[in-house]
Amino acid sequence: MLLCQPAIAVHADSETTTHSSEPLVIVMGEDTYPFEYLDEHGNAAGILVDMWREWSTITNTRIQFVARNWQASLTQLEQKHADVHIGMAETAERQSVFDFAKPFTTLNTYLYVHKSLNSKKQISDLIPYQIGIVDGSSHEVMLKQLEPRLSFKRYKNREQLLQATANGDLFVFAGIEGYQRNVALEQDIAANFYSSSRILIKKVGLSPAVSKGNQALIDKINQGFELISPNVIKQIERRWLGYHKQTSGVVIAMQNGVEPYADVGIDGMPTGMLVDLWTLWSKKTGINIDFITGDMNTTIDDVKNGIADVHIGYPESKEMRSGLKQAWHITSVKSRFFSRKQNIDHIEQSTMRIGVFPTAPYIAQVKSAFPKAQLRFYDSLDAMVKAVHNDEIIGFVSSSAMTSHYLLANKLWAEFTQYTNIEFNTDIYTLTRIDDSGLADRIKAGFNLISIEEQIQIERKWLINPDDRFFAAGASKIKLTTQQKQYISSLGAIKMGYLKNWAPMEFQGKNGQFLGVNADIKNLLVKQLNLTIIPVAYDDFGQMVNDLKKGEIHLVASMAQTPSRENSLLFSSAYWPSPWAIVTSLTQPPIFNISQVVGKRLAVVDGYHIVDHLRQQYPGITLVVVADTNEGINAVINGRADMFVEQVATLAATLKGGQYPSLKLSLVAELTEQHSRIGLFPGVKELVPLIDRVLATMDENVQQNIYQKWVALDLNSDTLRYERWLKILIVGFLILSFIALVIFMSNRRLNIEIDKRIKAEDNLKFMANHDNVTGLPNRSLLDDRLQQAVLTHQRDKLSFALLFIDLDGFKAVNDLHGHHVGDKLLHRVGILLSKCVRESDTVARFGGDEFVLLLNNIDSKGSARQIADNILLSLKKPTMIDGITVNISASIGIAFYADDADTALSLLKMADQLMYQAKKIGGHQYKMN
């Protein structure tokens, strides 16, 4: 694409002026964005183009740009079809052909390395790989000087080079600083080539070049560029690069005191959700960032006055604007009404006084929601809370997350009620100066590189209340690269096998539809990946697995990952707990461990991974292989088997129907550490990381909703059914004594059924309230005990301590030795922690590698310190797991009721924050106020 036909050089000799009718012809590269390129309208653009236009104005010289691919631009000048080359790096070869003016700007050149080669830190490490370069560029010369053994793959232009990189043809390519012009292409590349791990080749000076012997033009060029103000050059660089190259990076103005979004920690470092998002942006773009703090007004002024480059995040609406440019919608904040009064009747029609921030962008919405209310304005949350205490206002509207944090930190949570039905959404934008279009583009491009899963993880860390979250609620589809979209499109329709009769995980509805937990997982994959998935129903699990191995179907959910299956199948990450249970007749004794099954006949569904496990580990068990769940249950009823093993959720759903009153369910500890995964045919292996990304977006709300939809157990329906049956029997018999006998026997059977159901419900409640890996109380049970502890200790005016523990080095254990070792390590840690506390205390697994200890009735802080010291000392001892020596330690945060907080949520948050402080300063220690 050219601006004009090849031009004849204006100068035939060394005259110092150009003809007034003929412009100075400047040849340039057509695709070296953002330094020199053709924009979408075919016009010359970029840093060098703008600098030459400034030169044209200062020297009163008309100029004309001619665009070529890079090698052709050199030929154009060499053949004297142009007067000047816009700017290039000097090399020995080029010096033999051209004369050069002084360098008038610089750029950094880099080697961008695929993430799979992240261990390669030196140029010499890349000798085995072909390096992609643009033919004729100076990269090849510079790299050969640094390492002669490198090999290269040449491309005609930069667009072809980048496209080859996005297509996976290259693991290393040479490039310049600045983001690519093609944003979609940049996202494809950035998904695999991290700017933060690129290798610097050289800082290169760019010099205009002319034909040999034209010293007069060289002098004129030098004189003109020397007259350009440094401020003008700085503005041009900021316009295109987003920041001035001579500075360390981008300066971000942030408001403090608005945790959990942004604040300064006790260590003096910026902290909060927005800080974490910007830190990830820095990692993705390779651009350094620094923070300066202040209040809401001063931080805006810092950006306007040039002290800072960007505002971290500011609330704006159509009615409330700061006068700055909205560079990126970084999040949305939910604000709600808070009051000390509970259950205010007809709140919308009240004439009460309500506090709001004068800068709140939702003031018009508040007026609409409370048309009769009087609004009063306050500059701080502290002022509004005091106004409520002084009866100046009945309540106020403020950010839910920020207000919750404030009330917890100031021990006021119990005094205030949050009205969740009164909610206002505020969009938060990163802001730049209006003229900083380059920086705005850079910000947008950088945040586009952050995946929705990464955003959700950061949000979960800071916003404990799921109702306050923005990313999880707005997540419709994960971001896919062009290459990934093309791959999904190339797959066409893929098939997902499921069992017809395996409720609640998966089953076939009356009209042949695919239903159950896994059907919802399938729908999630379809929605987020735009996959076309055809469900295929099976009667037999073993046949379904065989078809998966042969590629006749492509996906099967609820599979266990075993060494034997790993030889022929691929697996997603775990997405659902799948503990097992054993069904026996009511006359059999309860089963507590697998050793009680030895010598018995145990029915198991053909194809289940547990078949091989039982044969290898427990050869004394006689296995009776059955086709499905119903056949397994009938085998127990008919006496073909003594017991039947199946997943808890499936057994609970089956027994719920009431047609098997003579059976009971037992939970076995050795069979509870199971998780469901999606098994995949290796022919669709590129789907595995994409499916994992979708599964990572499932937060606790999504899982809970699916659980309640498919797994809930209702005992009342069985009781009512038996009562109706009893009435029918009464009407059917006329002899009083026989009626009495029937009533007696029926009631007895009804009581047996109720007892059986109560026991099953107790077992299920245990599973619902305890972690299936460690057997410890889970988050749900911890929350309940923590609430009870607050009430009890408040009544008795006693103290208790909360220890939030995060294991240091656990991820390394998982990555190095596998999740099975990691799970066993968690189980060992749970036992160790339980030995460090009293029976009256609670040890809970909070999630991942985090544990929480609730120490009741602590007489002094020294007691909690002693327990923390004992834990750290015990963890120092190496642990042997499956013949592997594992070393682990912990970071511990200790919060006390009621010195640090007086509510369950605030105590938990305080202990969590103290734990993070301990981890930030190196871990292997505890932190307390």
Side-chain angles (χ1 to χ4, degrees):
M1 185 176 183
L2 306 177
L3 287 174
C4 60
Q5 296 300 316
I8 303 298
V10 173
H11 306 291
D13 50 34
S14 58
E15 293 177 0
T16 59
T17 60
T18 61
H19 298 292
S20 59
S21 61
E22 296 181 355
L24 187 72
V25 178
I26 304 173
V27 68
M28 56 177 278
E30 63 185 359
D31 61 357
T32 310
Y33 185 86
F35 288 86
E36 47 183 307
Y37 74 105
L38 294 178
D39 65 18
E40 60 272 17
H41 303 295
N43 298 321
I47 294 174
L48 304 189
V49 172
D50 282 359
M51 288 186 174
W52 271 101
R53 286 175 176 149
E54 287 293 328
W55 180 92
S56 172
T57 301
I58 287 176
T59 62
N60 195 28
T61 303
R62 289 198 305 126
I63 58 175
Q64 181 179 10
F65 295 103
V66 178
R68 299 286 186 270
N69 69 57
W70 184 254
Q71 186 61 53
S73 73
L74 303 180
T75 303
Q76 184 94 351
L77 181 63
E78 186 176 0
Q79 295 177 352
K80 298 188 177 181
H81 294 315
D83 300 302
V84 186
H85 192 284
I86 193 168
M88 68 175 85
E90 293 187 50
T91 65
E93 181 182 357
R94 291 172 180 174
Q95 287 172 344
S96 66
V97 183
F98 309 120
D99 284 335
F100 287 86
K102 295 177 181 178
F104 66 120
T105 189
T106 62
L107 61 80
N108 291 335
T109 61
Y110 299 92
L111 284 176
Y112 291 83
V113 182
H114 193 274
K115 64 184 180 183
S116 63
L117 308 179
N118 59 3
S119 61
K120 313 298 182 184
K121 304 298 183 183
Q122 307 294 329
I123 292 177
S124 58
D125 296 336
L126 304 174
I127 293 172
Y129 305 94
Q130 277 194 317
I131 297 174
I133 59 171
V134 175
D135 190 24
S137 69
S138 61
H139 293 138
E140 183 173 355
V141 175
M142 290 185 288
L143 286 168
K144 281 185 174 179
Q145 290 174 348
L146 296 171
E147 179 49 75
R149 294 173 291 175
L150 293 174
S151 58
F152 301 92
K153 190 171 184 179
R154 299 168 183 83
Y155 294 85
K156 182 179 179 180
N157 54 48
R158 184 171 179 78
E159 184 74 16
Q160 290 183 6
L161 168 66
L162 296 177
Q163 191 61 60
T165 303
N167 292 339
D169 298 335
L170 294 170
F171 281 87
V172 186
F173 72 93
I176 59 175
E177 62 187 300
Y179 49 93
Q180 322 306 335
R181 179 185 177 190
N182 186 335
V183 175
L185 187 59
E186 181 206 14
Q187 292 177 13
D188 289 358
I189 295 171
N192 294 308
F193 293 80
Y194 301 149
S195 293
S196 56
S197 58
R198 61 194 177 185
I199 300 173
L200 177 67
I201 302 173
K202 189 177 181 180
K203 185 174 184 177
V204 179
L206 297 183
S207 303
V210 303
S211 299
K212 274 290 187 181
N214 198 343
Q215 186 61 42
L217 184 54
I218 290 290
D219 293 340
K220 180 176 181 178
I221 292 171
N222 287 335
Q223 291 169 7
F225 279 112
E226 287 173 357
L227 294 174
I228 299 178
S229 165
N231 285 334
V232 172
I233 295 176
K234 181 178 179 179
Q235 290 172 2
I236 292 172
E237 289 179 345
R238 284 186 61 87
R239 186 182 307 143
W240 290 102
L241 291 175
Y243 62 98
H244 183 39
K245 290 189 301 179
Q246 307 307 318
T247 63
S248 59
V250 174
V251 178
I252 302 172
M254 59 169 275
Q255 181 183 355
N256 56 19
V258 288
E259 197 172 356
Y261 297 102
D263 203 357
V264 176
I266 60 174
D267 57 357
M269 299 299 293
T271 184
M273 190 183 86
L274 298 184
V275 173
D276 280 2
L277 285 171
W278 272 102
T279 301
L280 184 56
W281 179 93
S282 175
K283 179 181 179 181
K284 295 281 187 178
T285 61
I287 300 172
N288 293 328
I289 58 174
D290 197 9
F291 296 94
I292 58 173
T293 61
D295 58 30
M296 182 173 284
N297 295 325
T298 59
T299 51
I300 289 294
D301 290 340
D302 285 343
V303 178
K304 290 180 177 178
N305 297 329
I307 298 173
D309 302 305
V310 58
H311 194 284
I312 191 170
Y314 191 82
E316 286 205 328
S317 66
K318 293 180 179 179
E319 295 80 16
M320 302 288 291
R321 296 297 300 270
S322 63
L324 294 171
K325 180 181 180 65
Q326 294 178 355
W328 182 253
H329 178 201
I330 193 167
T331 190
S332 289
V333 173
K334 294 179 180 179
S335 297
R336 300 191 180 97
F337 179 67
F338 289 82
S339 176
R340 294 179 75 187
K341 296 184 179 296
Q342 299 181 4
N343 304 320
I344 302 176
D345 295 329
H346 308 295
I347 188 170
E348 296 84 358
Q349 300 301 317
S350 174
T351 58
M352 59 189 177
R353 296 185 297 272
I354 296 176
V356 292
F357 291 110
T359 55
Y362 47 75
I363 290 178
Q365 295 173 266
V366 174
K367 290 180 178 179
S368 177
F370 304 103
K372 297 182 180 180
Q374 303 174 36
L375 300 189
R376 291 199 175 182
F377 299 103
Y378 298 87
D379 290 330
S380 68
L381 191 55
D382 188 60
M384 285 199 285
V385 171
K386 289 180 179 178
V388 172
H389 282 134
N390 295 333
D391 293 327
E392 297 173 14
I393 54 178
I394 195 172
F396 56 86
V397 177
S398 180
S399 159
S400 173
M402 186 179 73
T403 305
S404 297
H405 172 77
Y406 174 90
L407 296 176
L408 290 169
N410 290 277
K411 301 181 180 180
L412 298 171
W413 178 259
E415 293 185 25
F416 283 82
T417 297
Q418 179 179 182
Y419 286 75
T420 56
N421 60 321
I422 303 173
E423 185 176 282
F424 308 96
N425 288 322
T426 301
D427 293 331
I428 305 297
Y429 295 92
T430 63
L431 305 176
T432 64
R433 289 180 289 279
I434 297 295
D435 57 350
D436 271 349
S437 57
L439 178 56
D441 290 341
R442 172 60 66 89
I443 290 169
K444 179 179 179 181
F447 277 111
N448 273 324
L449 302 179
I450 300 176
S451 69
I452 185 65
E453 310 95 271
E454 291 170 321
Q455 293 171 329
I456 288 173
Q457 287 173 5
I458 291 175
E459 190 175 54
R460 286 177 186 171
K461 172 184 173 182
W462 290 101
L463 304 185
I464 297 176
N465 183 0
D467 292 335
D468 292 337
R469 296 171 186 166
F470 166 70
F471 297 120
S476 56
K477 289 186 179 181
I478 63 174
K479 295 178 182 178
L480 300 176
T481 67
T482 303
Q483 186 179 0
Q484 290 166 339
K485 291 176 182 177
Q486 290 172 347
Y487 171 71
I488 290 175
S489 179
S490 70
L491 289 176
I494 62 174
K495 297 178 180 179
M496 181 174 184
Y498 74 95
L499 292 176
K500 292 180 181 178
N501 189 21
W502 200 49
M505 295 307 297
E506 53 190 34
F507 59 98
Q508 193 172 57
K510 293 180 180 179
N511 299 320
Q513 68 271 42
F514 178 22
L515 300 174
V517 170
N518 292 330
D520 284 358
I521 300 300
K522 185 268 292 182
N523 294 336
L524 193 63
L525 296 177
V526 170
K527 176 183 178 182
Q528 296 224 32
L529 296 178
N530 202 28
L531 278 170
T532 301
I533 300 179
I534 299 175
V536 179
Y538 282 83
D539 293 307
D540 181 81
F541 183 80
Q543 183 60 48
M544 181 169 65
V545 174
N546 288 334
D547 284 355
L548 179 64
K549 292 177 179 179
K550 292 186 291 186
E552 295 184 11
I553 57 176
H554 306 93
L555 306 175
V556 169
S558 290
M559 289 193 69
Q561 184 175 359
T562 65
S564 60
R565 287 177 177 172
E566 286 175 344
N567 294 329
S568 54
L569 297 174
L570 302 175
F571 291 89
S572 73
S573 58
Y575 70 92
W576 198 266
S578 301
W580 296 74
I582 288 179
V583 166
T584 62
S585 66
L586 287 173
T587 59
Q588 291 283 343
I591 304 298
F592 297 107
N593 56 70
I594 201 70
S595 62
Q596 294 177 260
V597 187
V598 175
K600 304 289 186 179
R601 297 168 299 164
L602 179 65
V604 60
V605 174
D606 186 25
Y608 280 6
H609 80 281
I610 202 171
V611 173
D612 292 335
H613 173 74
L614 292 172
R615 281 175 176 162
Q616 294 171 8
Q617 300 295 323
Y618 305 97
I621 298 176
T622 302
L623 296 182
V624 179
V625 178
V626 297
D628 55 30
T629 303
N630 285 335
E631 185 179 338
I633 289 176
N634 287 326
V636 177
I637 294 174
N638 298 330
R640 275 206 309 132
D642 301 306
M643 307 169 185
F644 171 56
V645 62
E646 179 59 277
Q647 289 191 6
V648 170
T650 302
L651 288 175
T654 304
L655 297 179
K656 176 183 175 182
Q659 65 268 41
Y660 303 111
S662 63
L663 300 180
K664 66 180 178 181
L665 180 148
S666 299
L667 297 172
V668 182
E670 293 98 322
L671 302 179
T672 59
E673 299 181 11
Q674 303 291 331
H675 290 83
S676 290
R677 301 174 188 268
I678 296 176
L680 295 94
F681 173 62
V684 293
K685 65 179 180 179
E686 293 181 51
L687 271 182
V688 175
L690 300 180
I691 289 175
D692 284 346
R693 290 176 60 187
V694 174
L695 297 177
T697 65
M698 292 175 57
D699 62 11
E700 58 270 31
N701 275 355
V702 174
Q703 293 173 327
Q704 184 66 23
N705 289 338
I706 294 176
Y707 179 89
Q708 290 177 346
K709 178 179 178 181
W710 299 109
V711 188
L713 180 64
D714 181 10
L715 298 180
N716 292 332
S717 60
D718 293 335
T719 303
L720 293 173
R721 185 172 57 83
Y722 274 94
E723 288 176 351
R724 289 194 297 269
W725 174 70
L726 182 60
K727 291 177 182 178
I728 292 173
L729 287 177
I730 295 174
V731 174
F733 294 94
L734 300 177
I735 302 175
L736 185 60
S737 60
F738 192 58
I739 291 177
L741 178 62
V742 170
I743 292 175
F744 173 77
M745 295 300 296
S746 299
N747 274 329
R748 182 182 177 188
R749 184 162 182 173
L750 177 60
N751 289 332
I752 292 173
E753 171 63 14
I754 292 174
D755 289 342
K756 178 177 70 69
R757 292 303 178 203
I758 291 174
K759 290 179 181 178
E761 186 182 42
D762 288 342
N763 287 331
L764 289 175
K765 283 181 179 179
F766 181 88
M767 294 299 299
N769 291 317
H770 289 77
D771 173 54
N772 65 321
V773 174
T774 63
L776 297 173
N778 61 14
R779 174 79 180 271
S780 176
L781 185 54
L782 172 67
D783 289 342
D784 181 65
R785 292 188 179 178
L786 191 51
Q787 293 284 357
Q788 292 300 317
V790 169
L791 295 174
T792 302
H793 290 75
Q794 184 181 48
R795 180 193 62 206
D796 298 335
K797 301 187 184 305
L798 298 173
S799 296
F800 69 88
L802 202 66
L803 277 64
F804 201 108
I805 302 172
D806 184 270
L807 300 182
D808 300 324
F810 178 75
K811 184 178 184 300
V813 173
N814 255 350
D815 293 345
L816 187 61
H817 304 297
H819 288 279
H820 66 289
V821 174
D823 286 349
K824 289 183 179 180
L825 176 60
L826 291 173
H827 184 72
R828 296 274 185 90
V829 170
I831 295 173
L832 181 149
L833 295 176
S834 299
K835 290 180 178 179
C836 292
V837 300
R838 301 161 298 181
E839 290 186 7
S840 60
D841 299 326
T842 295
V843 179
R845 185 183 177 198
F846 194 75
D849 59 350
E850 296 175 333
F851 295 83
V852 172
L853 273 59
L854 170 59
L855 309 180
N856 288 299
N857 193 14
I858 287 288
D859 53 2
S860 69
K861 292 187 176 181
S863 300
R865 288 195 195 97
Q866 184 61 52
I867 291 174
D869 284 330
N870 292 341
I871 291 171
L872 294 173
L873 184 63
S874 299
L875 288 174
K876 280 185 177 181
K877 301 175 183 177
T879 302
M880 288 291 294
I881 298 177
D882 294 345
I884 300 169
T885 301
V886 176
N887 293 296
I888 201 78
S889 186
S891 299
I892 306 175
I894 308 175
F896 294 91
Y897 176 88
D899 291 347
D900 293 324
D902 58 0
T903 66
L905 182 60
S906 57
L907 274 168
L908 194 60
K909 188 169 184 180
M910 176 61 70
D912 184 30
Q913 290 173 348
L914 290 167
M915 179 275 292
Y916 272 108
Q917 292 173 19
K919 187 170 286 290
K920 277 185 178 180
I921 56 178
H924 315 291
Q925 58 191 293
Y926 62 83
K927 191 79 175 176
M928 57 191 291
N929 289 327

